[in-house]
């Protein structure tokens, strides 16, 4: 790396310029114990110089999460500045949601269903594990000024939280694919590392704790690099040059293996499957941390999951909703919906909806969510900002 090479060069120059040229008067060789310290000081100086000169504070990591935040922030500010906004809906999720929920269409349908001025902020990103989603929420809120945060803290808010068997049971899902990339460094900063550590340490499942122990050095390395901001120069870009990435990012290429005839039959097959519930860290750490990022004590949580043809996932979502009866939980155990989606053109593969499939599911989701908004009074009177 540039910083290490610069530090080594500084030590070499110091040795040539300042080091003793021969034996000491008593005939012994000169001590070089100062060299490691000089190297460390040179490394620190080189990192600082590179950090502030080559990558000034207005640069950001050019990762998918950064681009998603840059797309969402203007929409959030617009919603907060509009006194007519009755309800803010923040959509959390990974690829099932990024492919299967059209945030703009959901916003329009919710306004029609409820008669309220609803604003939808879609923070879903394909491949985003829970730690990356936490980082996205923090980055979005940290970029707001004081007035915007005050408005955000008082507006009625619903967090639409994606339930997913794979991501819920593997905190750092997709890290193997993203290890050592700008995307991983963007979310495994010290805050992300601490979120992961607290959640992993609280797991009641020995297998998850053992897995976390094995990943600890990798997480520490990413957090250190994130702090020092060392690495490839193309990872960083001026904040103004970031290309926005929408939260709805549909896949248009259909796969021949996507035929899902008999999709509704999965409801019957699911009954024979015993699915474990969600890990405890979902409720004890991840959910409070994510919702707390917005600083809004009035925020309500609604669980949901876009459809999937995998019976195991259907069983997990059903068990999750059963375990969270105190909250609104929108599964997809709905025969009419599954019958409607039971055609290859509505899927790109066994798990992800195509754009026509997303349109069907978004309309259905808006109807169910809109009913919940009215039934549970989720859009209470907005505070006067003064």
């Amino acid at each position: 790396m540039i910083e290490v090479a610069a530090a080594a060069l500084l030590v070499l120059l110091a040795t040539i310029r300042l080091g003793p040229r021969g034996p000491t008067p008593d005939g012994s060789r000169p001590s070089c114990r100062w060299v490691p310290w000089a190297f460390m000081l040179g490394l620190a100086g080189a990192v600082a110089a590179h950090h502030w000169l080559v990558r000034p504070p207005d640069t950001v990591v050019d990762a998918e999460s950064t681009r998603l935040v840059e797309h969402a922030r203007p929409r959030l500010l617009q919603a907060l500045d509009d006194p007519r906004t009755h309800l803010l809906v923040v959509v959390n999720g990974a690829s099932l949601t990024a492919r299967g929920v059209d945030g703009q269409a959901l916003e329009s349908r919710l306004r029609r269903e409820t008669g309220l001025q609803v604003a939808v902020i879609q923070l879903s990103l394909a491949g985003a594990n829970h730690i990356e989603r936490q980082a996205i929420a923090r980055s979005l809120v940290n970029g707001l000024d004081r007035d915007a945060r005050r408005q955000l803290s008082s507006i009625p808010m619903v967090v639409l939280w994606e339930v997913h068997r794979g991501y819920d049971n593997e905190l750092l899902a997709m890290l193997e694919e993203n290890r050592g990339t700008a995307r991983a460094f963007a979310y495994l900063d010290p805050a992300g590392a601490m979120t992961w550590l607290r959640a992993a340490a609280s797991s009641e499942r020995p297998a998850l704790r053992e897995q976390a122990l094995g990943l600890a050095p990798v997480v520490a390395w990413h957090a250190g690099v994130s702090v020092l901001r060392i690495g490839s120069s193309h990872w960083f870009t001026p904040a103004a040059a970031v290309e926005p990435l929408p939260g709805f990012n549909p896949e248009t290429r259909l796969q021949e293996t996507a035929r899902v005839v008999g999709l509704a039959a999965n409801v019957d097959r699911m009954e024979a499957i015993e699915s474990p519930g969600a890990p405890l860290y979902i409720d004890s750490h991840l959910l409070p941390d994510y919702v707390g990022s917005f600083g809004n004590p009035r925020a309500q949580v609604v669980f949901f999951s876009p459809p999937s043809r995998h019976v195991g996932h259907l069983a997990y979502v059903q068990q999750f909703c059963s375990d969270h009866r105190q909250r609104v939980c929108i599964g997809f155990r709905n025969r009419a919906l599954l019958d409607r989606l039971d055609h290859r053109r509505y899927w790109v593969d066994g798990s992800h909806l195509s754009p026509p499939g997303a349109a069907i599911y978004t309309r259905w989701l808006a109807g169910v969510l809109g009913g919940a908004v009215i039934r549970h009074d989720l859009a209470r009177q907005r505070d006067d900002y003064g």
Side-chain angles (χ1 to χ4, degrees), residues 150-235:
R150 182 171 60 86
Q151 292 173 337
L152 181 62
S153 68
S154 59
I155 189 172
M157 177 189 296
V158 168
V159 173
L160 201 55
W161 179 281
E162 181 192 279
V163 177
H164 191 285
R165 180 180 60 169
Y167 288 110
D168 289 358
N169 287 278
E170 189 174 352
L171 281 168
L172 290 176
M174 303 301 292
L175 179 60
E176 285 299 320
E177 290 78 357
N178 299 326
R179 180 184 299 195
T181 65
R183 178 168 184 172
F185 291 127
Y187 71 83
L188 277 180
D189 57 2
M194 285 304 301
T195 299
W196 167 81
L197 180 61
R198 290 173 57 245
S202 69
S203 176
E204 76 284 11
R205 302 179 186 178
L208 294 180
R209 291 198 300 269
E210 292 175 6
Q211 181 187 54
L213 183 63
L215 288 173
V218 178
V219 173
W221 172 60
H222 280 82
V225 171
S226 177
V227 170
L228 298 175
R229 302 183 77 186
I230 56 179
S232 299
S233 59
H234 68 270
W235 291 349

Side-chain angles (χ1 to χ4, degrees), residues 304-317:
F304 84 110
S305 176
S308 168
R309 73 176 178 86
H310 295 293
V311 181
H313 180 67
L314 175 60
Y316 174 79
V317 173

Side-chain angles (χ1 to χ4, degrees), residues 122-146:
Q122 188 163 0
L123 299 181
S124 54
L125 178 64
N129 57 46
H130 279 294
I131 307 303
E132 186 169 17
R133 296 180 216 176
Q134 301 274 352
I136 290 169
R138 284 195 306 271
S139 178
L140 176 65
V141 176
N142 289 343
L144 302 178
D145 60 27
R146 183 176 179 179

Side-chain angles (χ1 to χ4, degrees), residues 44-113:
V47 168
H50 200 202
H51 182 99
W52 294 106
L53 297 179
V54 180
R55 295 167 190 163
D58 64 342
T59 60
V60 294
V61 179
D62 190 10
E64 289 86 344
S65 57
T66 307
R67 298 197 286 271
L68 175 64
V69 168
E70 290 303 314
H71 181 272
R73 186 175 290 124
R75 293 181 58 82
L76 175 59
L77 290 172
Q78 182 180 12
L80 295 175
D81 288 339
D82 188 348
R84 298 173 300 170
T85 303
H86 296 108
L87 179 67
L88 188 69
V89 177
V90 176
V91 183
N92 160 304
S95 59
L96 291 186
T97 301
R99 307 281 190 255
V101 177
D102 183 343
Q104 292 189 16
L106 179 64
E107 181 178 277
S108 298
R109 300 286 302 189
L110 281 174
R111 291 180 178 183
R112 194 177 313 167
E113 294 281 345

Side-chain angles (χ1 to χ4, degrees), residues 348-364:
V348 294
D349 55 33
S351 299
H352 301 95
L353 293 168
S354 66
I360 292 173
Y361 176 67
T362 300
R363 286 196 298 270
W364 180 86

